[in-house]
Amino acid sequence: MRLENRAPDALRPVRIQRQFTKYAAGSVLVTFGDTQVLCTATLEDRTPPWLAGKGSGWVTAEYAMLPGCSNERIGRNHYQKGRAMEISRLIGRSLRCAVDMAALGERQITVDCDVIQADGGTRTAAITGAFVALSDACAKLQADGAISRSPLLGECAAVSVGLVDGEALLDLCYEEDVRAEVDMNVVMRSDGNLIEVQGCAEGDAFPRKQLDAMLDLAEAGCGELFRLQREALAS
Amino acid sequence: MRLENRAPDALRPVRIQRQFTKYAAGSVLVTFGDTQVLCTATLEDRTPPWLAGKGSGWVTAEYAMLPGCSNERIGRNHYQKGRAMEISRLIGRSLRCAVDMAALGERQITVDCDVIQADGGTRTAAITGAFVALSDACAKLQADGAISRSPLLGECAAVSVGLVDGEALLDLCYEEDVRAEVDMNVVMRSDGNLIEVQGCAEGDAFPRKQLDAMLDLAEAGCGELFRLQREALAS
Amino acid sequence: MRLENRAPDALRPVRIQRQFTKYAAGSVLVTFGDTQVLCTATLEDRTPPWLAGKGSGWVTAEYAMLPGCSNERIGRNHYQKGRAMEISRLIGRSLRCAVDMAALGERQITVDCDVIQADGGTRTAAITGAFVALSDACAKLQADGAISRSPLLGECAAVSVGLVDGEALLDLCYEEDVRAEVDMNVVMRSDGNLIEVQGCAEGDAFPRKQLDAMLDLAEAGCGELFRLQREALAS
Amino acid sequence: MRLENRAPDALRPVRIQRQFTKYAAGSVLVTFGDTQVLCTATLEDRTPPWLAGKGSGWVTAEYAMLPGCSNERIGRNHYQKGRAMEISRLIGRSLRCAVDMAALGERQITVDCDVIQADGGTRTAAITGAFVALSDACAKLQADGAISRSPLLGECAAVSVGLVDGEALLDLCYEEDVRAEVDMNVVMRSDGNLIEVQGCAEGDAFPRKQLDAMLDLAEAGCGELFRLQREALAS
Amino acid sequence: MRLENRAPDALRPVRIQRQFTKYAAGSVLVTFGDTQVLCTATLEDRTPPWLAGKGSGWVTAEYAMLPGCSNERIGRNHYQKGRAMEISRLIGRSLRCAVDMAALGERQITVDCDVIQADGGTRTAAITGAFVALSDACAKLQADGAISRSPLLGECAAVSVGLVDGEALLDLCYEEDVRAEVDMNVVMRSDGNLIEVQGCAEGDAFPRKQLDAMLDLAEAGCGELFRLQREALAS
Amino acid sequence: MRLENRAPDALRPVRIQRQFTKYAAGSVLVTFGDTQVLCTATLEDRTPPWLAGKGSGWVTAEYAMLPGCSNERIGRNHYQKGRAMEISRLIGRSLRCAVDMAALGERQITVDCDVIQADGGTRTAAITGAFVALSDACAKLQADGAISRSPLLGECAAVSVGLVDGEALLDLCYEEDVRAEVDMNVVMRSDGNLIEVQGCAEGDAFPRKQLDAMLDLAEAGCGELFRLQREALAS
């Protein structure tokens, strides 16, 4: 059995707390069980140099773990290493699939995702929370009259799935994650389309029908997350 | 008048929230008005190499601002630059004056101070919160039987003072800080002794009697902070 | 139509040239059409520190593009940046799924994958060639009597697939890659199991049935690559 | 007793040697006993980017120790670390309090302070010498007709004070510095005002009346240094 | 006797293979015995900033060893260290002596020299091959009509010479190189003039008449290399 | 005519001032005309790791320019770049040819050469001064009884030569250096043998008989430098 009698297809308790800090254009503390990520969206009235003058905006992201987020302290310059950069790139790519860059106009939104507490699934929690911070930043642009309509194309959410003792499980906590034979992250848009699928054998290769079972779980999990995002944004 | 009719010798509302996260040995969210710093203390069963085998422990600190903590985004590798290193060193030195290193034994406590929201006085809030996180880590060592008595020599707290339009003010917010002619940080121990005094003219030099007036304010402010620390630790 | 009348499910001409250089334990020049990657495997009689004394070996990889491999020169320190580190990690993870680490013993094999000419699919060509270089290094260990049986669990190969104008295509060249709506890399083991699946929307999200179509193509493509690897290793 | 029967309130022999090198706009070798610092001021006809077009100049400083300046060799990239950056910032801030930036005009003066021999008090010797190098650079600007009047607001000097065995001592040498319970650096302007006060407990906290005693010593010491600076500049 | 009965004044078998890759403006695989260097020349329509607007071009080079080029793996960030930078600078300087920069016009050619297999004399092989890659890039500029005449002033080639057991030898392989008392590299232009002479005692100093003997060998060796370069460029 | 009627074969006034600072084992301020380099030799009772336990010592060097040594300020991290590393390596190699490493025993001497004033020929002045600092460090080892006889094999000195308007000149100052067609550095040992010869065309190639003329000048110049070194060491 999973911790707290969780069903194989159940998310951990998810909370999306908006306006966690007051200076950033969007600031969301997202929690998936004991995983907590602070996502802050900052607006800048300029694009990266290679986009200048093209009438298009840009969305990017940076991911880092705070040193005290887990049992062992994580060195602070760790964030420059491969894993954190890889995750930063994943979050940025995912968010960009949910935004009409022309409608955003020549400005950049950077979403910083800082992991305050890590219990597995930090990157998928980060994407789910980052979308809400991004939404708040876009709403601020509209409220300020900088843009006339929302550049968002739908919600964007992500969830982890995995194979533990041969069984497909949704939203793995750390303890499950270290035991998983396969670790997979799925990013979706609320129209039901896929944005990113990253499945990775941990130790041993896996059959395709297991891939299918995990995708089924992830689709259902993302559906629930879209609902929670909309609920948070409506409140 | 100061914001919200604050008196020149009044602190902003201070809150010290313990156990903000669950994995670190000590985890404190400290707020001074709109300034918020997350302080997490991590234990390691080793000392820096140059202390090995000397029967003595070590306390160190790292300070950084989260990118979205203020109105303009702060680049993430900023922390390596001079200012953040200087503040990290100040916090570490201050905490070490409140600890009997022999009583701590051959282990290291690292306190990470991450500024979540910045409205002036982040380094003094960090010291004040870091001491409480450090206390919780020491209490954990005692509870685990690793040490038999507390290695703490008293509370350690810090506050900023400044000269604004020629008047000495306690605990400056950002808006006051940028207007201040003198910016000063005072770190004290609860026995009434000074740990560190850093006064710095911003633009113009200042007379010694102004230094004295600021020190008077800081002493009173630290007294109030010691009371709040004890209250938080007792709860 | 694709270049040179290639069918949607056809690989580009693949060549696997062993012993391209003479000092490395394995040295393979792999070509997928105009993409050329030099893969060299080096043996070291030590493991990473965290594995020492555990009776287990390690396989790792580094990927870099030579500055002159494409039309525009690529700066040489580029390799440290996110993309190259991400690909290095992918190659290492993939190869490790094809090796029994206990059978390898306490030694490390590093496979360096240097892209000599880049026309799309460099990471999948790199994995396919790296496996052959790894095989040669393992054979050398057996020939030298360092290990008594091969630590390999089967062949490991990879191929890119993508969605171009809504059609699933196998093994994209650069020109197809830049036009693709979805870019996907699939790593497999010769027992038919999946090692890694990375599908990524470029600009727009995509339906799951397209994911399935691309996986079908990739499975067939990897089957052909396993055959070519065995052929090369037999010669 | 102090070395060479020095009184508690006595400076070490101080020498300020101008025009030590010939290419820099100002070049001063300052010695406080066995501490020797080479201070060279360089002129540049541009300001930092953030000051451009504001009609104001800038003064900055860099501090480093030559590798062979003390008994043990100091690694050369050491200067990038926290301590050297902190001291560089202190020197720059101090000098800026002695300069009318509008009168300087849109140009930058950089004062490099390289410690040739270190016997305690290198940062305060550096400030004292750097001011003289800065004066020479300003005089050169006047002589060249670039500015019509001196931008200097008075002399700027600094001295260390400390508490050794409970007694306040002026201008600590290295041997005294390592034994000191409190280490303090005071920067003053020749109008008697304070520029910077940095007092720091080494190991134990200290009462405020000791702070006062140290400030008294420092004021007198700086008075003597202003006299020596004027003497050097007059010669 | 030398390996394969080579005479003291004989080069190893030299091969110059043009168009080794297809995207770079010039791409040459040069081999001196078992030493193999891939030289690719890239064109850019801009000069370094300090040359902008002066009507003059620039030629520069970067040298690196691929990690698997020799028996022991060479770490990839090794290239930033002293030796590789020194060799990069040597190659750039040498090539520039063979080019009329005004005739090249305001553009830059970068020649990357990546050592694929190392058996001594990699830097001299790199220069010899880089010149041919540079020639091809210049020919491309002429063919494209960007320049009306060749900017080349003659061929440029280089060879190593050394003193082994007191005897002067031409074109040392690795085994000879590690035994050599003196190691010397000579770069020449096809008009018989010297571009660079770098002779360096390995362990012990050497008499001038040995220098003369080595220069004689190098002159003859470079003569042969000019012939081979012309032959390759004519084919 | 050269400045101050200097003959083509004349050195600038050379001064070798020992014991310039007091903590380093050897400390020499060497001046060649307006070029001034501070050379300090530091002793360490350990060798680099790759020499440990082999009964042999090591001599190494680091070269850097102080930021204010010339008319334009030189950035401080400049020393990591190619030129400074190349010169550091040259100085270390040169000194090692003058030392019997077995006689030195398992210890390391590091000579830091910091250019205080630069007017051409800084690397050759550095070698000439560094040898004297090295001698003083070796004498200290003998005086301390650490070694029983001097490990020095003779003096080591260096001088620059060049071709200006077709004429060979000894010991170029900066103004001559920028006009020189060829720039050459020659390092010799006092037994008349060569340690290093580095001749480099600046812009155009040069005939071998000019090389010979420059070597003649350099031999005579080094002879004079050996005499000055012996004189300084005897005083």
Side-chain angles (χ1 to χ4, degrees):
Chain A
M1 274 307 291
R2 308 181 79 180
L3 281 176
E4 300 173 19
N5 293 325
R6 185 149 63 108
D9 63 350
L11 292 171
R12 290 174 288 179
V14 170
R15 195 157 46 105
I16 297 173
Q17 195 178 339
R18 287 165 64 209
Q19 290 159 334
F20 188 75
T21 63
K22 64 190 285 188
Y23 301 122
S27 172
V28 169
L29 184 72
V30 63
T31 65
F32 277 51
D34 280 333
T35 286
Q36 297 188 7
V37 185
L38 174 57
C39 308
T40 57
T42 323
L43 292 167
E44 285 170 296
D45 266 331
R46 51 168 196 76
T47 59
W50 47 269
L51 259 186
K54 300 202 174 154
S56 172
W58 192 244
V59 173
T60 186
E62 285 190 19
Y63 165 100
M65 299 180 101
L66 290 199
C69 72
S70 69
N71 283 311
E72 279 188 60
R73 185 170 183 274
I74 297 165
R76 204 169 276 276
N77 52 5
H78 174 84
Y79 102 93
Q80 298 168 313
K81 302 242 186 73
R83 181 181 172 275
M85 290 189 98
E86 195 172 321
I87 297 175
S88 297
R89 286 157 50 91
L90 166 64
I91 301 171
R93 266 195 324 265
S94 298
L95 296 176
R96 286 193 292 273
C97 278
V99 179
D100 174 345
M101 291 302 170
L104 178 56
E106 292 213 0
R107 51 183 61 85
Q108 175 168 309
I109 302 178
T110 303
V111 189
D112 285 282
C113 301
D114 288 273
V115 179
I116 280 179
Q117 200 167 276
D119 186 32
T122 59
R123 81 186 70 187
T124 44
I127 291 168
T128 305
F131 173 79
V132 179
L134 176 68
S135 294
D136 278 338
C138 291
K140 185 176 188 311
L141 284 174
Q142 271 188 282
D144 293 353
I147 55 178
S148 54
R149 60 176 181 83
S150 170
L152 299 178
L153 303 169
E155 282 81 27
C156 163
V159 74
S160 76
V161 279
L163 223 54
V164 181
D165 300 331
E167 186 183 18
L169 298 181
L170 180 68
D171 186 21
L172 280 61
C173 68
Y174 178 74
E175 201 188 289
E176 292 168 338
D177 187 70
V178 295
R179 289 172 48 218
E181 297 106 54
V182 180
D183 186 16
M184 190 160 159
N185 295 292
V186 178
V187 189
M188 294 189 72
R189 204 167 59 189
S190 51
D191 59 6
N193 282 328
L194 294 159
I195 288 179
E196 188 123 358
V197 173
Q198 294 194 336
C200 163
E202 302 284 341
D204 206 2
F206 58 100
R208 179 156 167 198
K209 75 165 198 277
Q210 295 278 29
L211 178 74
D212 291 334
M214 290 187 285
L215 283 167
D216 290 342
L217 278 186
E219 279 193 355
C222 284
E224 175 66 6
L225 291 170
F226 296 135
R227 199 186 56 74
L228 291 164
Q229 287 178 323
R230 278 189 289 259
E231 203 173 282
L233 285 163
S235 73
Chain B
M1 274 308 289
R2 306 180 80 179
L3 282 175
E4 300 172 21
N5 292 327
R6 185 149 63 108
D9 62 350
L11 292 172
R12 290 174 286 180
V14 171
R15 194 158 47 106
I16 298 173
Q17 195 176 340
R18 287 164 65 209
Q19 290 157 333
F20 189 74
T21 63
K22 64 190 284 189
Y23 299 122
S27 172
V28 169
L29 184 72
V30 63
T31 64
F32 277 52
D34 281 331
T35 287
Q36 297 188 5
V37 186
L38 175 56
C39 308
T40 57
T42 322
L43 292 166
E44 285 170 296
D45 265 332
R46 51 166 196 78
T47 59
W50 48 269
L51 259 187
K54 300 201 173 154
S56 172
W58 191 244
V59 173
T60 187
E62 285 191 19
Y63 165 99
M65 299 180 101
L66 289 199
C69 72
S70 68
N71 283 311
E72 279 187 59
R73 186 170 182 274
I74 297 166
R76 205 169 275 273
N77 52 4
H78 174 84
Y79 102 93
Q80 299 169 313
K81 301 241 188 74
R83 181 180 171 276
M85 291 189 97
E86 194 171 323
I87 297 175
S88 297
R89 287 156 53 90
L90 166 65
I91 301 171
R93 263 192 330 260
S94 298
L95 296 176
R96 286 193 291 274
C97 278
V99 178
D100 173 345
M101 291 301 170
L104 178 57
E106 292 213 358
R107 50 185 60 84
Q108 174 168 312
I109 302 178
T110 302
V111 188
D112 285 284
C113 301
D114 288 274
V115 179
I116 278 178
Q117 199 167 276
D119 185 33
T122 59
R123 81 186 71 187
T124 45
I127 291 169
T128 304
F131 174 78
V132 178
L134 176 67
S135 293
D136 278 337
C138 291
K140 184 175 188 313
L141 284 174
Q142 271 189 283
D144 293 354
I147 55 178
S148 54
R149 62 177 180 84
S150 169
L152 299 178
L153 302 169
E155 283 81 28
C156 164
V159 74
S160 76
V161 278
L163 224 55
V164 181
D165 301 331
E167 187 183 18
L169 299 181
L170 181 68
D171 187 21
L172 280 61
C173 68
Y174 179 74
E175 198 187 291
E176 292 167 339
D177 188 68
V178 294
R179 288 174 46 220
E181 297 106 55
V182 181
D183 186 16
M184 190 159 159
N185 296 291
V186 177
V187 188
M188 294 188 73
R189 205 168 59 190
S190 52
D191 60 5
N193 282 327
L194 295 159
I195 288 178
E196 188 124 359
V197 173
Q198 293 194 337
C200 163
E202 300 285 341
D204 205 2
F206 58 100
R208 180 156 165 197
K209 74 163 199 277
Q210 295 279 29
L211 179 75
D212 292 332
M214 290 186 285
L215 284 167
D216 290 342
L217 278 186
E219 278 192 356
C222 284
E224 175 65 6
L225 292 170
F226 296 135
R227 199 186 57 73
L228 292 164
Q229 288 176 323
R230 277 189 290 259
E231 205 173 278
L233 285 164
S235 72
Chain C
M1 274 307 290
R2 305 181 80 181
L3 281 176
E4 300 173 21
N5 292 326
R6 187 150 61 108
D9 64 350
L11 293 172
R12 290 175 287 180
V14 172
R15 195 158 46 106
I16 297 173
Q17 194 176 342
R18 287 165 66 209
Q19 291 158 333
F20 188 74
T21 62
K22 64 189 285 187
Y23 300 122
S27 172
V28 168
L29 184 73
V30 63
T31 65
F32 277 50
D34 280 332
T35 287
Q36 297 189 6
V37 186
L38 175 56
C39 308
T40 58
T42 322
L43 293 166
E44 285 170 297
D45 265 333
R46 52 168 195 77
T47 59
W50 48 269
L51 259 187
K54 300 200 173 155
S56 173
W58 191 245
V59 173
T60 187
E62 286 191 18
Y63 165 100
M65 299 181 101
L66 289 200
C69 72
S70 69
N71 283 311
E72 280 188 58
R73 187 171 181 274
I74 298 166
R76 204 169 277 273
N77 52 4
H78 173 84
Y79 103 93
Q80 299 169 312
K81 302 239 188 75
R83 181 181 171 276
M85 290 189 96
E86 194 171 323
I87 297 175
S88 297
R89 286 157 52 92
L90 166 64
I91 300 171
R93 265 194 328 261
S94 298
L95 296 176
R96 286 192 292 274
C97 278
V99 179
D100 173 345
M101 291 301 170
L104 178 57
E106 291 213 0
R107 50 183 60 85
Q108 174 168 310
I109 302 179
T110 303
V111 188
D112 285 283
C113 301
D114 288 273
V115 179
I116 280 179
Q117 200 166 275
D119 186 33
T122 59
R123 80 187 71 188
T124 46
I127 291 168
T128 305
F131 174 78
V132 179
L134 176 67
S135 295
D136 278 337
C138 291
K140 184 175 188 311
L141 284 173
Q142 271 188 284
D144 294 354
I147 55 178
S148 55
R149 61 176 180 86
S150 170
L152 298 178
L153 302 169
E155 282 80 30
C156 165
V159 75
S160 76
V161 277
L163 223 55
V164 181
D165 301 331
E167 186 183 18
L169 299 181
L170 180 67
D171 186 23
L172 280 60
C173 68
Y174 178 75
E175 201 188 288
E176 292 167 338
D177 187 71
V178 294
R179 288 173 47 220
E181 297 105 55
V182 180
D183 186 16
M184 189 161 162
N185 295 292
V186 178
V187 189
M188 294 190 73
R189 205 168 57 189
S190 50
D191 60 5
N193 282 328
L194 294 159
I195 288 179
E196 188 123 358
V197 173
Q198 294 194 336
C200 164
E202 302 284 341
D204 205 3
F206 58 101
R208 180 157 165 197
K209 73 163 199 278
Q210 295 277 29
L211 178 74
D212 291 334
M214 290 186 285
L215 284 166
D216 291 343
L217 278 186
E219 278 193 356
C222 284
E224 174 68 4
L225 291 170
F226 296 135
R227 198 185 58 72
L228 292 164
Q229 288 177 322
R230 278 188 290 258
E231 203 173 279
L233 285 164
S235 72
Chain D
M1 273 308 291
R2 308 181 79 180
L3 281 175
E4 299 173 19
N5 293 325
R6 187 149 61 108
D9 62 350
L11 294 171
R12 290 174 288 179
V14 171
R15 196 158 46 107
I16 298 173
Q17 194 176 341
R18 289 164 62 208
Q19 289 157 337
F20 188 74
T21 63
K22 63 190 288 187
Y23 300 122
S27 172
V28 168
L29 184 73
V30 63
T31 65
F32 277 51
D34 280 332
T35 286
Q36 297 189 4
V37 186
L38 175 56
C39 308
T40 56
T42 322
L43 293 166
E44 285 171 294
D45 266 331
R46 52 167 196 77
T47 60
W50 47 270
L51 258 187
K54 301 200 172 155
S56 172
W58 191 244
V59 173
T60 187
E62 286 191 17
Y63 165 100
M65 298 179 102
L66 290 200
C69 73
S70 69
N71 283 310
E72 279 188 59
R73 187 171 182 273
I74 297 165
R76 205 168 275 273
N77 52 3
H78 174 84
Y79 102 92
Q80 299 169 313
K81 303 244 186 72
R83 181 181 171 276
M85 289 190 97
E86 193 172 324
I87 297 175
S88 296
R89 287 157 51 91
L90 166 64
I91 301 172
R93 268 196 322 265
S94 297
L95 295 177
R96 287 194 289 275
C97 278
V99 178
D100 174 344
M101 291 302 171
L104 178 57
E106 291 213 1
R107 49 183 63 83
Q108 175 168 311
I109 302 178
T110 303
V111 189
D112 285 282
C113 302
D114 288 273
V115 178
I116 280 179
Q117 199 167 277
D119 186 33
T122 59
R123 81 186 70 186
T124 45
I127 291 169
T128 305
F131 173 77
V132 178
L134 176 68
S135 294
D136 278 337
C138 291
K140 186 175 187 310
L141 284 174
Q142 271 188 283
D144 293 353
I147 54 177
S148 53
R149 62 179 180 82
S150 170
L152 299 178
L153 303 169
E155 281 82 29
C156 163
V159 75
S160 77
V161 279
L163 223 54
V164 181
D165 300 331
E167 186 183 18
L169 298 181
L170 180 68
D171 186 21
L172 279 62
C173 69
Y174 178 75
E175 200 189 288
E176 292 167 340
D177 188 69
V178 295
R179 290 171 48 218
E181 297 106 56
V182 181
D183 187 17
M184 190 160 160
N185 295 292
V186 178
V187 188
M188 294 190 71
R189 205 167 58 190
S190 51
D191 60 6
N193 283 329
L194 294 159
I195 288 179
E196 188 123 359
V197 172
Q198 294 195 337
C200 164
E202 302 283 341
D204 205 2
F206 58 100
R208 178 155 167 198
K209 75 167 198 278
Q210 295 278 30
L211 178 75
D212 292 333
M214 290 187 286
L215 283 167
D216 291 342
L217 277 187
E219 279 193 356
C222 283
E224 175 66 5
L225 291 170
F226 296 135
R227 198 185 58 71
L228 291 164
Q229 287 178 323
R230 278 190 289 257
E231 205 173 280
L233 285 164
S235 73
Chain E
M1 275 307 290
R2 307 181 79 179
L3 282 176
E4 298 173 22
N5 293 325
R6 184 150 62 111
D9 63 351
L11 293 171
R12 290 175 286 181
V14 171
R15 195 158 46 108
I16 298 173
Q17 195 177 340
R18 287 164 65 208
Q19 290 158 332
F20 189 74
T21 63
K22 64 190 286 188
Y23 300 121
S27 172
V28 169
L29 184 71
V30 63
T31 65
F32 277 51
D34 280 333
T35 287
Q36 297 188 6
V37 186
L38 175 56
C39 307
T40 56
T42 323
L43 291 166
E44 285 170 296
D45 265 332
R46 52 168 194 76
T47 60
W50 47 270
L51 259 187
K54 300 201 173 154
S56 172
W58 190 244
V59 172
T60 186
E62 285 190 18
Y63 166 100
M65 298 180 101
L66 289 200
C69 72
S70 69
N71 283 310
E72 280 188 60
R73 186 171 182 275
I74 297 166
R76 206 169 274 274
N77 52 4
H78 174 84
Y79 100 93
Q80 300 169 312
K81 302 241 187 74
R83 182 181 170 274
M85 290 190 96
E86 195 172 322
I87 297 175
S88 296
R89 287 158 50 91
L90 166 65
I91 301 171
R93 265 194 327 262
S94 298
L95 296 177
R96 287 193 291 275
C97 279
V99 179
D100 173 345
M101 291 302 171
L104 178 56
E106 292 213 359
R107 49 183 62 84
Q108 174 167 311
I109 302 178
T110 303
V111 188
D112 285 283
C113 301
D114 288 272
V115 179
I116 280 179
Q117 198 167 278
D119 186 32
T122 59
R123 81 187 70 186
T124 45
I127 291 169
T128 305
F131 174 78
V132 179
L134 175 67
S135 294
D136 277 338
C138 291
K140 185 176 188 311
L141 284 174
Q142 270 188 284
D144 293 354
I147 55 178
S148 54
R149 62 177 179 83
S150 169
L152 300 178
L153 302 169
E155 282 81 29
C156 163
V159 75
S160 75
V161 279
L163 222 55
V164 181
D165 302 330
E167 187 184 17
L169 298 181
L170 180 68
D171 187 21
L172 280 61
C173 68
Y174 178 73
E175 199 187 291
E176 292 167 338
D177 188 70
V178 295
R179 289 171 48 219
E181 297 106 55
V182 181
D183 186 16
M184 190 159 158
N185 295 292
V186 178
V187 189
M188 293 189 73
R189 204 168 58 190
S190 51
D191 60 5
N193 283 328
L194 294 159
I195 288 178
E196 189 124 357
V197 173
Q198 295 194 336
C200 163
E202 301 284 341
D204 205 2
F206 58 100
R208 180 157 165 197
K209 75 167 198 276
Q210 296 277 30
L211 178 74
D212 291 333
M214 290 186 286
L215 284 167
D216 290 343
L217 278 186
E219 279 193 355
C222 284
E224 175 66 6
L225 292 170
F226 297 135
R227 198 186 57 74
L228 292 163
Q229 287 177 324
R230 278 188 290 257
E231 204 174 279
L233 285 163
S235 72
Chain F
M1 273 309 289
R2 306 179 80 179
L3 282 175
E4 300 173 19
N5 292 325
R6 187 151 60 111
D9 63 351
L11 294 171
R12 289 174 288 179
V14 171
R15 195 158 47 108
I16 298 173
Q17 196 176 341
R18 287 165 65 209
Q19 289 157 334
F20 189 74
T21 63
K22 63 190 285 188
Y23 299 122
S27 172
V28 169
L29 183 72
V30 63
T31 65
F32 276 51
D34 280 331
T35 287
Q36 296 188 5
V37 186
L38 175 57
C39 307
T40 57
T42 322
L43 292 166
E44 284 170 296
D45 265 332
R46 50 166 197 78
T47 59
W50 47 270
L51 259 187
K54 301 202 173 155
S56 172
W58 191 244
V59 173
T60 186
E62 286 190 18
Y63 165 100
M65 298 180 101
L66 290 199
C69 73
S70 69
N71 282 312
E72 279 187 60
R73 187 171 182 274
I74 298 165
R76 204 170 277 273
N77 51 5
H78 174 82
Y79 103 92
Q80 299 169 313
K81 303 241 189 72
R83 181 181 172 276
M85 290 190 98
E86 193 172 323
I87 297 175
S88 297
R89 287 158 50 91
L90 166 65
I91 301 172
R93 266 192 329 260
S94 298
L95 296 176
R96 287 192 291 274
C97 278
V99 178
D100 173 345
M101 292 300 171
L104 178 57
E106 291 212 1
R107 51 183 60 85
Q108 175 169 310
I109 302 178
T110 303
V111 188
D112 285 283
C113 301
D114 287 273
V115 178
I116 280 180
Q117 199 166 274
D119 186 33
T122 60
R123 80 186 70 186
T124 46
I127 291 169
T128 305
F131 174 77
V132 178
L134 175 67
S135 294
D136 277 338
C138 290
K140 185 174 187 313
L141 284 173
Q142 271 190 283
D144 294 353
I147 55 177
S148 54
R149 62 177 179 83
S150 171
L152 299 178
L153 302 169
E155 282 81 28
C156 164
V159 74
S160 75
V161 278
L163 223 54
V164 181
D165 302 330
E167 187 183 19
L169 299 181
L170 180 68
D171 186 22
L172 280 61
C173 68
Y174 179 74
E175 199 188 289
E176 292 168 338
D177 188 69
V178 295
R179 289 173 46 220
E181 297 106 55
V182 181
D183 185 17
M184 189 160 162
N185 296 291
V186 178
V187 189
M188 294 188 74
R189 203 167 59 188
S190 51
D191 60 6
N193 283 328
L194 294 159
I195 287 178
E196 188 124 358
V197 173
Q198 294 194 337
C200 164
E202 301 283 343
D204 205 2
F206 59 99
R208 180 157 165 198
K209 74 164 200 273
Q210 295 278 30
L211 178 74
D212 291 333
M214 290 186 285
L215 284 167
D216 290 343
L217 278 187
E219 279 193 355
C222 284
E224 175 66 6
L225 292 169
F226 296 135
R227 198 185 57 74
L228 292 163
Q229 287 177 323
R230 277 189 289 259
E231 203 173 281
L233 286 163
S235 72

